[in-house]
Amino acid sequence: PPASRSPEINDRLTMETPDSRQARLWERRKLADARIIGQFNNTYIICEGNDALMVVDQHAAHERIAYERLAAARKNNARPPSQKLMIPETFDLGYRETAVISQMTDDLGTLGLEIEHFGGNTFVVKSVPTLIADREIKPLILEIAEAMDAFGYSPGLGAALDQCIILMACHSAIRARQSLSMNEMKALLDQLDQCENPRQCPHGRPTFVEWPLRTLEKNFKRIV
Amino acid sequence: PPASRSPEINDRLTMETPDSRQARLWERRKLADARIIGQFNNTYIICEGNDALMVVDQHAAHERIAYERLAAARKNNARPPSQKLMIPETFDLGYRETAVISQMTDDLGTLGLEIEHFGGNTFVVKSVPTLIADREIKPLILEIAEAMDAFGYSPGLGAALDQCIILMACHSAIRARQSLSMNEMKALLDQLDQCENPRQCPHGRPTFVEWPLRTLEKNFKRIV
């Protein structure tokens, strides 16, 4: 376990309530039952499943977890947990970005991202979803502006907000090339198992791939 | 690390002399430089190579190491280190096996396996190669008899002795489904690296396979 890691990731990964955990615990335990062997390339979690070597993409997995939490909150018309910034963050955007984001302040508010158009090209962020509390906010806003410009945003459009949630999930997720402790890996797999769709990140990339034991035995010519 | 393991494997794995080690240390360090992640299915050693996930078959790897040691001894006309049995082991063989093994006692002696034909179908084993000191000897003798019967043994035939060495290496090697400590895995990889042909066991099976990082990135659609 790296000494330099803050405890934030563990906190984030174990944010789900004990109740929602309990409810799903018996449905699927594919990953939670796997034995973690270790981390590869500081990017992939290697585990021993029932009859396969499993490789989990830590970023894609965490993205899926974060996405389902944000989506669940939106479905319940609940603002996801958010956090007031001690010092509101002020930044300027370009002309096109300003045009998009200035229309989005209400919608972003419902996602826990409280942003105000200060006038001109200047915006002030006052609260952010807890999930991304430790991340830089401006790169996320720029990506949202770009995506919505391409998508054709109009206020209250559900599909547009879903895109925003995906971007938030991506920005909240642990990165590739980040060392994780055994406990962090365990927490990640437990929570991925509890997702509706644990197999894909919200962009449709796989969260894990498997190398069946039989295939491995064939690779080694142990069986034909 | 399993509590029930004797230290014999480590001893066996580190039997090579410091000098021969030193000589080759700088030539190839593919496996020795890999970081061991852990063991899969108590059979495969998973490691992180320079740009690949590597999976080593512990039995095939150990077989290769044992084989090269036995073959090197034979090349130098040196008997490999052998060990007198405190209580010589006596057993009976079948008719065909007796016919083969009774002709082989001299040749087996040069391989460190001192066996005497006691009369009738009875044989007495007095010394065994140190490499297989902790293994049952009769199953090895039976396999040698069967292989030589098929091969067409005649005394002093080099190719026949090579087959015997392969069988000895196989019987000496750690099995699949055996838990190894980190130190045992490390010793195994270090010594495999020092082999002339570290990529194949003496039967021609691969000792390790690799999953290149690029392939893995493609599997996860991180790259196209």
mmCIF file of all heavy atoms in Angstrom, chain B residues 205-222:
data_model
loop_
_atom_site.group_PDB
_atom_site.id
_atom_site.type_symbol
_atom_site.label_atom_id
_atom_site.label_comp_id
_atom_site.label_asym_id
_atom_site.label_seq_id
_atom_site.Cartn_x
_atom_site.Cartn_y
_atom_site.Cartn_z
ATOM 1 N N ARG B 205 6.651 -28.105 -23.802
ATOM 2 C CA ARG B 205 5.535 -27.222 -23.422
ATOM 3 C C ARG B 205 6.093 -25.861 -23.013
ATOM 4 O O ARG B 205 7.211 -25.772 -22.516
ATOM 5 C CB ARG B 205 4.770 -27.841 -22.246
ATOM 6 C CG ARG B 205 4.105 -29.161 -22.557
ATOM 7 C CD ARG B 205 2.899 -29.407 -21.645
ATOM 8 N NE ARG B 205 3.239 -29.583 -20.261
ATOM 9 C CZ ARG B 205 3.017 -28.674 -19.303
ATOM 10 N NH1 ARG B 205 2.478 -27.505 -19.587
ATOM 11 N NH2 ARG B 205 3.336 -28.922 -18.066
ATOM 12 N N PRO B 206 5.334 -24.797 -23.201
ATOM 13 C CA PRO B 206 5.841 -23.485 -22.786
ATOM 14 C C PRO B 206 5.964 -23.391 -21.261
ATOM 15 O O PRO B 206 5.133 -23.940 -20.538
ATOM 16 C CB PRO B 206 4.790 -22.489 -23.289
ATOM 17 C CG PRO B 206 3.638 -23.279 -23.772
ATOM 18 C CD PRO B 206 4.010 -24.725 -23.822
ATOM 19 N N THR B 207 7.005 -22.727 -20.804
ATOM 20 C CA THR B 207 7.128 -22.482 -19.357
ATOM 21 C C THR B 207 6.404 -21.205 -18.958
ATOM 22 O O THR B 207 6.007 -21.045 -17.817
ATOM 23 C CB THR B 207 8.607 -22.337 -18.954
ATOM 24 O OG1 THR B 207 9.210 -21.370 -19.816
ATOM 25 C CG2 THR B 207 9.343 -23.667 -19.083
ATOM 26 N N PHE B 208 6.254 -20.291 -19.915
ATOM 27 C CA PHE B 208 5.461 -19.099 -19.601
ATOM 28 C C PHE B 208 4.790 -18.560 -20.851
ATOM 29 O O PHE B 208 5.236 -18.822 -21.969
ATOM 30 C CB PHE B 208 6.290 -17.995 -18.924
ATOM 31 C CG PHE B 208 7.411 -17.425 -19.731
ATOM 32 C CD1 PHE B 208 7.230 -16.299 -20.527
ATOM 33 C CD2 PHE B 208 8.680 -17.993 -19.691
ATOM 34 C CE1 PHE B 208 8.270 -15.766 -21.262
ATOM 35 C CE2 PHE B 208 9.733 -17.452 -20.428
ATOM 36 C CZ PHE B 208 9.534 -16.333 -21.216
ATOM 37 N N VAL B 209 3.685 -17.894 -20.640
ATOM 38 C CA VAL B 209 3.009 -17.193 -21.724
ATOM 39 C C VAL B 209 2.845 -15.741 -21.292
ATOM 40 O O VAL B 209 2.890 -15.426 -20.100
ATOM 41 C CB VAL B 209 1.628 -17.811 -22.065
ATOM 42 C CG1 VAL B 209 1.784 -19.245 -22.545
ATOM 43 C CG2 VAL B 209 0.683 -17.751 -20.887
ATOM 44 N N GLU B 210 2.702 -14.877 -22.268
ATOM 45 C CA GLU B 210 2.612 -13.455 -21.966
ATOM 46 C C GLU B 210 1.330 -12.866 -22.530
ATOM 47 O O GLU B 210 0.854 -13.297 -23.572
ATOM 48 C CB GLU B 210 3.802 -12.714 -22.579
ATOM 49 C CG GLU B 210 5.125 -13.103 -21.971
ATOM 50 C CD GLU B 210 6.282 -12.379 -22.646
ATOM 51 O OE1 GLU B 210 6.543 -11.238 -22.262
ATOM 52 O OE2 GLU B 210 6.884 -12.961 -23.560
ATOM 53 N N TRP B 211 0.825 -11.896 -21.833
ATOM 54 C CA TRP B 211 -0.324 -11.145 -22.299
ATOM 55 C C TRP B 211 0.185 -9.711 -22.451
ATOM 56 O O TRP B 211 0.258 -8.979 -21.476
ATOM 57 C CB TRP B 211 -1.428 -11.208 -21.246
ATOM 58 C CG TRP B 211 -2.805 -10.961 -21.751
ATOM 59 C CD1 TRP B 211 -3.186 -10.482 -22.963
ATOM 60 C CD2 TRP B 211 -4.009 -11.205 -21.010
ATOM 61 N NE1 TRP B 211 -4.550 -10.417 -23.022
ATOM 62 C CE2 TRP B 211 -5.078 -10.841 -21.848
ATOM 63 C CE3 TRP B 211 -4.273 -11.675 -19.729
ATOM 64 C CZ2 TRP B 211 -6.403 -10.944 -21.430
ATOM 65 C CZ3 TRP B 211 -5.586 -11.776 -19.322
ATOM 66 C CH2 TRP B 211 -6.645 -11.422 -20.171
ATOM 67 N N PRO B 212 0.589 -9.343 -23.672
ATOM 68 C CA PRO B 212 1.193 -8.014 -23.833
ATOM 69 C C PRO B 212 0.239 -6.902 -23.378
ATOM 70 O O PRO B 212 -0.975 -7.006 -23.571
ATOM 71 C CB PRO B 212 1.449 -7.919 -25.343
ATOM 72 C CG PRO B 212 1.434 -9.318 -25.836
ATOM 73 C CD PRO B 212 0.480 -10.059 -24.951
ATOM 74 N N LEU B 213 0.815 -5.887 -22.801
ATOM 75 C CA LEU B 213 0.013 -4.769 -22.314
ATOM 76 C C LEU B 213 -0.855 -4.205 -23.436
ATOM 77 O O LEU B 213 -2.030 -3.887 -23.231
ATOM 78 C CB LEU B 213 0.941 -3.683 -21.742
ATOM 79 C CG LEU B 213 0.270 -2.513 -21.045
ATOM 80 C CD1 LEU B 213 -0.643 -2.979 -19.922
ATOM 81 C CD2 LEU B 213 1.307 -1.546 -20.506
ATOM 82 N N ARG B 214 -0.310 -4.132 -24.631
ATOM 83 C CA ARG B 214 -1.077 -3.597 -25.763
ATOM 84 C C ARG B 214 -2.323 -4.442 -26.059
ATOM 85 O O ARG B 214 -3.376 -3.910 -26.383
ATOM 86 C CB ARG B 214 -0.209 -3.541 -27.034
ATOM 87 C CG ARG B 214 0.621 -2.264 -27.150
ATOM 88 C CD ARG B 214 1.239 -2.148 -28.539
ATOM 89 N NE ARG B 214 0.229 -1.979 -29.571
ATOM 90 C CZ ARG B 214 -0.324 -0.810 -29.901
ATOM 91 N NH1 ARG B 214 0.059 0.282 -29.285
ATOM 92 N NH2 ARG B 214 -1.245 -0.750 -30.830
ATOM 93 N N THR B 215 -2.162 -5.764 -25.946
ATOM 94 C CA THR B 215 -3.311 -6.644 -26.178
ATOM 95 C C THR B 215 -4.368 -6.407 -25.105
ATOM 96 O O THR B 215 -5.563 -6.322 -25.389
ATOM 97 C CB THR B 215 -2.853 -8.122 -26.124
ATOM 98 O OG1 THR B 215 -1.774 -8.287 -27.020
ATOM 99 C CG2 THR B 215 -3.984 -9.067 -26.477
ATOM 100 N N LEU B 216 -3.892 -6.291 -23.880
ATOM 101 C CA LEU B 216 -4.808 -6.066 -22.768
ATOM 102 C C LEU B 216 -5.538 -4.731 -22.965
ATOM 103 O O LEU B 216 -6.757 -4.649 -22.774
ATOM 104 C CB LEU B 216 -3.999 -6.070 -21.461
ATOM 105 C CG LEU B 216 -4.759 -6.244 -20.165
ATOM 106 C CD1 LEU B 216 -5.529 -7.552 -20.148
ATOM 107 C CD2 LEU B 216 -3.794 -6.205 -18.995
ATOM 108 N N GLU B 217 -4.825 -3.719 -23.365
ATOM 109 C CA GLU B 217 -5.433 -2.403 -23.598
ATOM 110 C C GLU B 217 -6.486 -2.500 -24.703
ATOM 111 O O GLU B 217 -7.524 -1.838 -24.645
ATOM 112 C CB GLU B 217 -4.373 -1.365 -23.990
ATOM 113 C CG GLU B 217 -3.199 -1.242 -23.032
ATOM 114 C CD GLU B 217 -3.362 -0.190 -21.959
ATOM 115 O OE1 GLU B 217 -4.368 -0.268 -21.220
ATOM 116 O OE2 GLU B 217 -2.483 0.681 -21.845
ATOM 117 N N LYS B 218 -6.217 -3.355 -25.690
ATOM 118 C CA LYS B 218 -7.210 -3.560 -26.749
ATOM 119 C C LYS B 218 -8.418 -4.314 -26.214
ATOM 120 O O LYS B 218 -9.562 -3.976 -26.529
ATOM 121 C CB LYS B 218 -6.593 -4.330 -27.926
ATOM 122 C CG LYS B 218 -5.771 -3.461 -28.841
ATOM 123 C CD LYS B 218 -5.212 -4.278 -30.004
ATOM 124 C CE LYS B 218 -4.169 -3.463 -30.753
ATOM 125 N NZ LYS B 218 -3.427 -4.285 -31.722
ATOM 126 N N ASN B 219 -8.175 -5.339 -25.415
ATOM 127 C CA ASN B 219 -9.281 -6.090 -24.818
ATOM 128 C C ASN B 219 -10.225 -5.141 -24.069
ATOM 129 O O ASN B 219 -11.431 -5.341 -24.051
ATOM 130 C CB ASN B 219 -8.777 -7.143 -23.823
ATOM 131 C CG ASN B 219 -8.013 -8.293 -24.474
ATOM 132 O OD1 ASN B 219 -7.198 -8.926 -23.825
ATOM 133 N ND2 ASN B 219 -8.264 -8.550 -25.749
ATOM 134 N N PHE B 220 -9.645 -4.146 -23.431
ATOM 135 C CA PHE B 220 -10.440 -3.209 -22.649
ATOM 136 C C PHE B 220 -10.870 -1.992 -23.475
ATOM 137 O O PHE B 220 -11.395 -1.037 -22.927
ATOM 138 C CB PHE B 220 -9.657 -2.743 -21.414
ATOM 139 C CG PHE B 220 -9.734 -3.714 -20.272
ATOM 140 C CD1 PHE B 220 -8.642 -4.481 -19.913
ATOM 141 C CD2 PHE B 220 -10.909 -3.874 -19.563
ATOM 142 C CE1 PHE B 220 -8.718 -5.386 -18.867
ATOM 143 C CE2 PHE B 220 -10.999 -4.766 -18.511
ATOM 144 C CZ PHE B 220 -9.898 -5.530 -18.166
ATOM 145 N N LYS B 221 -10.587 -2.043 -24.762
ATOM 146 C CA LYS B 221 -10.920 -0.925 -25.649
ATOM 147 C C LYS B 221 -10.322 0.398 -25.182
ATOM 148 O O LYS B 221 -10.884 1.470 -25.429
ATOM 149 C CB LYS B 221 -12.447 -0.788 -25.821
ATOM 150 C CG LYS B 221 -13.062 -2.053 -26.419
ATOM 151 C CD LYS B 221 -14.547 -1.909 -26.642
ATOM 152 C CE LYS B 221 -15.155 -3.222 -27.141
ATOM 153 N NZ LYS B 221 -16.609 -3.237 -27.092
ATOM 154 N N ARG B 222 -9.197 0.299 -24.472
ATOM 155 C CA ARG B 222 -8.487 1.528 -24.124
ATOM 156 C C ARG B 222 -7.786 2.069 -25.358
ATOM 157 O O ARG B 222 -7.566 3.258 -25.486
ATOM 158 C CB ARG B 222 -7.420 1.247 -23.054
ATOM 159 C CG ARG B 222 -7.971 1.089 -21.660
ATOM 160 C CD ARG B 222 -6.842 1.000 -20.647
ATOM 161 N NE ARG B 222 -7.355 1.115 -19.306
ATOM 162 C CZ ARG B 222 -7.548 2.262 -18.678
ATOM 163 N NH1 ARG B 222 -7.251 3.397 -19.262
ATOM 164 N NH2 ARG B 222 -8.044 2.271 -17.455
#
